Amino acid sequence: MQQRILAIIACLACVSLAAPQQLLPNPVAITRDERTDNGDGTFSYVFEADNGIAAQASGVQGFQGQSNIEGSYRFPLDDGSGFVEVRYVADENGFRAESPFLPTPHPTPAHVIELLRIAEEQRAAGITFE
């Protein structure tokens, strides 16, 4: 029984020694890290790394007690041809992001636009359906 336990421990030791010792092949250095938190819902931060990854945001108090945030982030494309940059706003109207890299919905078909127009006319005329 002791020989089996010794063999299992030896196998586990071999597996742990064979495991990769470094998870990130190229460590990334942080080149800029600035943060301000005023404790009242207002804040700002800027973060940059030497590989081009960056993020920045600022927040102010909103009318409903939330922080209204405006910011952006960027990261390099896998093929090295450039960067993805996303700008966003998060406030009482929700989260809205803008970037040419974000997917866009398909255009609304003409027959759906017509049905929506008819439904709006019916609502304006007081017609309801149960």
Side-chain angles (χ1 to χ4, degrees):
M1 181 69 173
Q2 288 179 340
Q3 291 175 342
R4 287 184 184 169
I5 293 174
L6 185 58
I8 291 172
I9 292 173
C11 288
L12 290 174
C14 290
V15 168
S16 67
L17 290 173
Q21 298 300 312
Q22 187 177 9
L23 295 177
L24 293 174
N26 298 318
V28 176
I30 305 303
T31 58
R32 186 173 178 195
D33 186 357
E34 299 173 10
R35 302 174 224 190
T36 303
D37 183 354
N38 299 317
D40 61 356
T42 61
F43 70 91
S44 66
Y45 67 81
V46 177
F47 165 84
E48 293 177 7
D50 67 355
N51 64 355
I53 293 175
Q56 67 85 27
S58 60
V60 297
Q61 287 182 330
F63 295 115
Q64 299 174 358
Q66 80 286 352
S67 287
N68 289 343
I69 303 169
E70 186 172 329
S72 65
Y73 59 90
R74 78 170 184 214
F75 55 90
L77 291 166
D78 289 338
D79 63 6
S81 64
F83 290 88
V84 171
E85 184 163 352
V86 178
R87 296 188 177 282
Y88 64 90
V89 172
D91 57 18
E92 51 274 321
N93 296 316
F95 178 81
R96 298 173 309 282
E98 296 177 0
S99 174
F101 291 93
L102 293 175
T104 57
H106 293 288
T108 305
H111 70 279
V112 173
I113 293 172
E114 178 64 14
L115 290 172
L116 291 172
R117 185 192 62 73
I118 292 169
E120 186 56 39
E121 284 178 1
Q122 291 174 339
R123 271 192 292 278
I127 300 171
T128 60
F129 298 95
E130 293 184 28

